C-alpha cells in the first residue's frame, strides 16, 4: 500500500473514531444508548421490526429489547399493519421525534467543518464517499 493510501485510511479512521465518540456522547446526554438513538433516527417513518433489525445489522430478538425500552419511555409505540395486523410497525411518538431531532442537532463535529466547504466541494466529497461505498457511478 502506498503512503498516500495509508494516510487517507488513517484520516478516515480518525473521522470514524471522532464520530463514534460524539455519537455516544450525544446519545448519553439524552439518556439513550447509541443503538437506541440509531433506532429513533431511523424511524423517520413507521417500520416493521424486521426492517429495523436489517438496518441495524442486528437480530430481531435484540431489536425487541431495544424497542421495549424505548416504548417504556414513551418514545415509540407498536401499531398493527394496515394490511396484515400480525405485523407490528414501530412508530416514533411526538416525544420520540423531538428527541431524535435534538440528538441529531448535537452531532455538530462533522456539520460544522462542512459549513466552510462550498457546494462544489461538498458534492465532490459526497461523490467520493459514495464511490467508496460502491454507491456512485463508476
Amino acid at each position: 500500500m502506498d503512503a498516500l493510501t495509508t494516510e487517507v485510511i488513517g484520516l478516515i479512521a480518525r473521522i470514524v473514531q471522532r464520530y463514534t465518540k460524539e455519537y455516544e456522547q450525544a446519545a448519553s446526554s439524552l439518556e439513550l444508548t447509541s443503538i437506541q438513538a440509531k433506532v429513533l433516527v431511523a424511524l423517520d417513518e413507521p417500520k416493521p421490526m424486521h426492517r429495523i433489525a436489517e438496518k441495524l445489522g442486528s437480530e430481531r430478538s435484540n431489536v425487541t429489547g431495544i424497542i421495549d425500552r424505548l416504548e417504556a419511555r414513551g418514545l415509540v409505540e407498536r401499531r398493527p399493519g394496515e394490511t396484515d395486523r400480525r405485523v407490528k410497525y414501530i412508530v416514533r411518538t411526538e416525544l420520540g421525534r423531538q428527541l431524535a431531532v435534538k440528538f441529531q442537532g448535537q452531532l455538530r463535529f462533522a456539520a460544522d467543518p462542512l459549513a466552510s466547504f462550498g457546494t462544489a466541494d461538498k458534492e465532490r466529497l459526497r461523490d467520493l464517499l459514495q464511490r467508496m461505498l460502491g454507491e456512485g457511478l463508476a
Side-chain angles (χ1 to χ4, degrees):
M1 187 174 346
D2 65 90
L4 182 56
T5 300
T6 301
E7 183 180 6
V8 170
I9 291 170
L11 289 168
I12 291 170
R14 287 176 53 201
I15 289 169
V16 168
Q17 288 170 337
R18 187 181 295 174
Y19 184 83
T20 300
K21 180 180 177 184
E22 180 131 342
Y23 201 94
E24 289 172 356
Q25 288 173 342
S28 179
S29 75
L30 299 172
E31 298 180 8
L32 295 168
T33 64
S34 57
I35 197 80
Q36 289 171 334
K38 284 180 186 177
V39 169
L40 277 181
V41 170
L43 288 173
D44 52 342
E45 61 185 38
K47 289 184 176 57
M49 198 88 83
H50 70 277
R51 291 276 184 248
I52 296 169
E54 288 170 6
K55 188 166 180 74
L56 297 175
S58 183
E59 294 294 322
R60 289 184 193 183
S61 59
N62 293 338
V63 174
T64 299
I66 295 164
I67 297 302
D68 287 346
R69 289 185 285 285
L70 290 171
E71 189 174 36
R73 288 186 58 187
L75 302 174
V76 301
E77 55 187 35
R78 290 173 169 93
R79 292 186 188 159
E82 292 180 14
T83 57
D84 184 349
R85 298 188 60 77
R86 294 172 297 173
V87 176
K88 298 296 183 208
Y89 281 78
I90 309 305
V91 181
R92 277 191 311 213
T93 62
E94 179 57 24
L95 181 59
R97 187 198 66 75
Q98 290 172 7
L99 202 60
V101 168
K102 187 173 183 178
F103 169 76
Q104 289 177 302
Q106 292 183 15
L107 300 176
R108 301 299 318 160
F109 99 89
D112 290 345
L114 288 174
S116 68
F117 286 22
T119 300
D121 286 338
K122 288 180 199 175
E123 288 173 347
R124 179 73 177 138
L125 179 58
R126 178 205 57 210
D127 294 346
L128 290 169
L129 293 171
Q130 285 177 335
R131 277 180 54 197
M132 286 184 71
L133 293 169
E135 297 172 1
L137 300 175

